[in-house]
């Protein structure tokens, strides 16, 4: 039923991400929402590969229960070590494959072919700039940490989602080349979001960062026009730039702006017809095509 509700709210495309309980999660899916069609038909076939990373309280779970349920990592510093350990293993994995491939035939007969490891394949694709990271994030220290990890391993973080302290580190994000997908005005629902401000999206945009508005809730997702409109109220963003935060900008972050996010010849005909100004609280979508 949520597919129907999203379409009724004017949403045509979604990046489906799972939860944020692990530093390195699974691969995401980019879908075109279709009512009454099988799931496989919704996948965008030529979409680039993405993977979900996460930072913060959800990952370390240090305050989640008694000592019998604890797990590694239990600190934010430990989260950093999870990343380095994973990428070092991915580097070694690719080196072993390379050595086996380049070995002469007679030498190869005495070697054991490296087994395929799907987890390390995905991580190696990140190091080879073939897979993009979408990272759940809140606190400035961790955002900076992960950018340092990426810089040291020679790759760029594609998108920080939620990014409620992005306004504190926008200059560093711009220098690194990361994009932002922010909540419009969520805050105070847990301790690590106590410094969130509704001007975050406007500040990120003015720093030259590709900025989108994301949802973490089925009801919010079908009102993305209203979420974008808050950047006009909180930050004075131009109305067209605000609308881009739920159209062209997320398409850019998904590397699909050649086919979605705008109305141009040759692009997908994803069109929403509103009965009023698309950023108005009073407007409703009449047709989603």
């Amino acid at each position: 039923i949520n597919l129907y509700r999203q379409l009724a709210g004017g949403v045509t495309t979604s990046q489906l991400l799972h939860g944020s309980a692990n530093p390195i999660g699974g691969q995401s899916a980019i879908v075109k929402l279709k009512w009454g069609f099988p799931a496989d038909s919704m996948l965008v076939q030529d979409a680039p590969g993405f993977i979900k990373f996460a930072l913060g309280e959800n990952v370390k779970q240090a305050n989640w229960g008694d000592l019998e349920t604890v797990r590694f990592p239990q600190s934010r510093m430990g989260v950093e070590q999870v990343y380095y350990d994973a990428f070092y293993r991915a580097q070694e994995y690719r080196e072993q494959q390379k050595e086996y491939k380049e070995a002469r035939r007679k030498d190869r007969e005495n070697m054991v072919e490296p087994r395929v490891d799907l987890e390390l394949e995905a991580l190696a694709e990140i190091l080879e700039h073939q897979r993009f990271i979408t990272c759940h994030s809140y606190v400035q220290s961790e955002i900076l940490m992960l950018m340092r990890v990426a810089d040291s391993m020679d790759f760029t973080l594609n998108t920080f989602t939620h990014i409620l302290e992005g306004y504190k580190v926008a200059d560093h994000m711009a220098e690194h080349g990361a994009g932002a997908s922010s909540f419009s005005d969520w805050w105070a629902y847990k301790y690590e979001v106590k410094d969130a401000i509704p001007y975050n999206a406007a500040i990120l945009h003015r720093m030259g960062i590709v900025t989108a508005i994301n949802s973490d809730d089925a009801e919010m997702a079908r009102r993305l026009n209203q979420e974008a409109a808050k950047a006009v109220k909180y930050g004075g963003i131009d109305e067209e730039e605000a609308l881009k935060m739920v159209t062209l900008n997320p398409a850019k972050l998904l590397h699909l702006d050649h086919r979605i996010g705008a109305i141009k010849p040759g692009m997908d005909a994803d069109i929403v017809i509103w009965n009023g100004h698309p950023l108005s609280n009073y407007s409703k979508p009449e047709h989603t095509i």
Side-chain angles (χ1 to χ4, degrees), residues 9 17 33 36 59 64 80 90 98 111 115 122 133 153-154 158 163 176-177 194 199 237 260 263 266 269 278 281:
L17 299 158
L33 303 180
V59 172
W64 278 36
E80 180 179 15
K98 184 179 179 181
M111 298 171 67
R115 71 180 181 88
I133 295 170
M153 306 300 288
D154 193 31
N158 193 82
I163 191 71
H176 176 75
K194 66 185 179 67
Y199 298 89
I237 293 296
I260 61 174
I263 302 174
N281 282 356

Side-chain angles (χ1 to χ4, degrees), residues 141-253:
S141 59
E142 292 189 298
I143 298 164
L144 291 170
M145 173 273 287
L146 191 53
M147 286 193 289
R148 285 195 295 268
V149 170
D151 287 337
S152 70
M153 306 300 288
D154 193 31
F155 66 86
T156 301
L157 290 152
N158 193 82
T159 311
F160 283 104
T161 58
H162 313 339
I163 191 71
L164 292 181
E165 289 192 15
Y167 67 94
K168 298 182 181 182
V169 293
D171 52 345
H172 295 283
M173 290 175 62
E175 182 180 355
H176 176 75
S181 184
S182 176
F183 288 134
S184 59
D185 62 351
W186 272 18
W187 65 82
Y189 53 91
K190 57 182 175 178
Y191 187 76
E192 67 182 358
V193 300
K194 66 185 179 67
D195 284 352
I197 60 174
Y199 298 89
N200 186 50
I203 293 171
L204 290 165
H205 168 73
R206 290 199 171 99
M207 288 298 293
I209 296 165
V210 178
T211 305
I213 301 294
N214 65 240
S215 69
D216 213 13
D217 171 83
E219 287 300 305
M220 180 189 292
R222 65 194 187 105
R223 295 179 174 85
L224 289 175
N225 64 311
Q226 296 176 23
E227 296 299 299
K230 293 172 184 176
V232 180
K233 177 176 176 62
Y234 298 105
I237 293 296
D238 177 79
E239 289 182 356
E240 187 173 333
E241 291 300 322
L243 196 57
K244 285 181 182 178
M245 290 182 176
V246 292
T247 53
L248 184 59
N249 289 1
K252 288 179 178 179
L253 294 175

Side-chain angles (χ1 to χ4, degrees), residues 44-216:
V44 178
Q45 296 299 328
D46 61 346
F50 277 82
I51 190 170
K52 170 80 174 275
F53 277 24
L55 303 166
E57 293 180 13
N58 292 25
V59 172
K60 67 185 184 69
Q61 299 185 9
N63 57 347
W64 278 36
D66 57 41
L67 293 177
E68 294 180 359
T69 61
V70 298
R71 61 168 200 177
F72 180 83
Q74 283 284 288
S75 69
R76 296 178 192 268
M77 295 82 80
V79 175
E80 180 179 15
Q81 293 307 307
V82 168
Y83 289 126
Y84 272 121
D85 175 64
F87 284 120
Y88 288 150
R89 287 188 291 115
Q91 284 181 330
E92 293 174 1
Y93 174 73
R94 273 292 190 258
E95 281 298 317
Q96 290 171 358
Q97 290 179 324
K98 184 179 179 181
E99 289 174 6
Y100 182 80
K101 185 177 180 180
E102 294 178 351
R104 290 179 297 181
R105 177 176 294 181
K106 65 177 183 179
D107 295 331
R108 198 181 300 164
E109 291 175 354
N110 298 320
M111 298 171 67
V112 176
E113 183 176 1
R115 71 180 181 88
V116 175
D117 186 310
L118 296 181
E119 290 184 0
L120 295 180
E121 282 288 339
L123 291 170
E125 288 173 1
I126 295 169
L127 297 174
E128 296 161 350
H129 308 154
Q130 299 299 314
R131 182 170 296 278
F132 301 105
I133 295 170
T134 302
C135 185
H136 163 111
S137 57
Y138 288 103
V139 178
Q140 62 170 333
S141 59
E142 292 189 298
I143 298 164
L144 291 170
M145 173 273 287
L146 191 53
M147 286 193 289
R148 285 195 295 268
V149 170
D151 287 337
S152 70
M153 306 300 288
D154 193 31
F155 66 86
T156 301
L157 290 152
N158 193 82
T159 311
F160 283 104
T161 58
H162 313 339
I163 191 71
L164 292 181
E165 289 192 15
Y167 67 94
K168 298 182 181 182
V169 293
D171 52 345
H172 295 283
M173 290 175 62
E175 182 180 355
H176 176 75
S181 184
S182 176
F183 288 134
S184 59
D185 62 351
W186 272 18
W187 65 82
Y189 53 91
K190 57 182 175 178
Y191 187 76
E192 67 182 358
V193 300
K194 66 185 179 67
D195 284 352
I197 60 174
Y199 298 89
N200 186 50
I203 293 171
L204 290 165
H205 168 73
R206 290 199 171 99
M207 288 298 293
I209 296 165
V210 178
T211 305
I213 301 294
N214 65 240
S215 69
D216 213 13

